[in-house]
Amino acid sequence: MKYYSVISVTPTNEDWIPAYLEVVVGLVAKQGGQFLARTPNHEQLEGEKQDAALRIIIEWPSRQAALDFSNDADYQPHLEARLAGSVSQHFLIEGKDQLA
């Protein structure tokens, strides 16, 4: 079953971004992930306002693939840099309509 990472990122420091992008694209692909969106062009239509400079959506072939990416030792220093240099939220969403 497919899973989706939905990530909001607002950099507070941009020093980490070049190295992050250079490595993370390959690590996502290594786990079978595919970027569906990486964009500053988004708008919130409902709910309490939650500003974010970027919204990212990654499609994963499985929950395990997403977790393997998140736990990859090569990703850890880049994750730490992103968390230290941004306000971020990452949601992992099962690709299933349980209300149908």
Side-chain angles (χ1 to χ4, degrees):
M1 173 172 303
K2 292 187 179 186
Y3 274 73
Y4 298 88
S5 285
V6 178
I7 307 160
S8 301
V9 179
T10 300
T12 56
N13 171 331
E14 297 187 2
D15 295 343
W16 58 273
I17 295 173
Y20 186 93
L21 292 174
E22 182 178 331
V23 172
V24 171
V25 170
L27 294 175
V28 166
K30 174 182 164 184
Q31 298 301 336
Q34 176 182 358
F35 288 97
L36 300 181
R38 291 188 288 172
T39 182
N41 300 318
H42 53 84
E43 61 184 302
Q44 184 173 340
L45 299 179
E46 297 179 4
E48 186 176 330
K49 188 162 175 72
Q50 295 182 356
D51 291 326
L54 298 168
R55 303 281 182 180
I56 298 109
I57 302 172
I58 305 170
E59 180 180 79
W60 301 103
S62 66
R63 179 178 182 275
Q64 190 60 52
L67 295 177
D68 288 347
F69 164 76
S70 291
N71 295 320
D72 189 314
D74 292 335
Y75 178 55
Q76 296 312 301
H78 300 285
L79 171 61
E80 290 171 13
R82 177 174 60 82
L83 294 176
S86 72
V87 176
S88 299
Q89 296 175 317
H90 183 171
F91 297 91
L92 186 59
I93 302 169
E94 184 181 37
K96 181 178 182 180
D97 182 355
Q98 294 181 316
L99 301 179

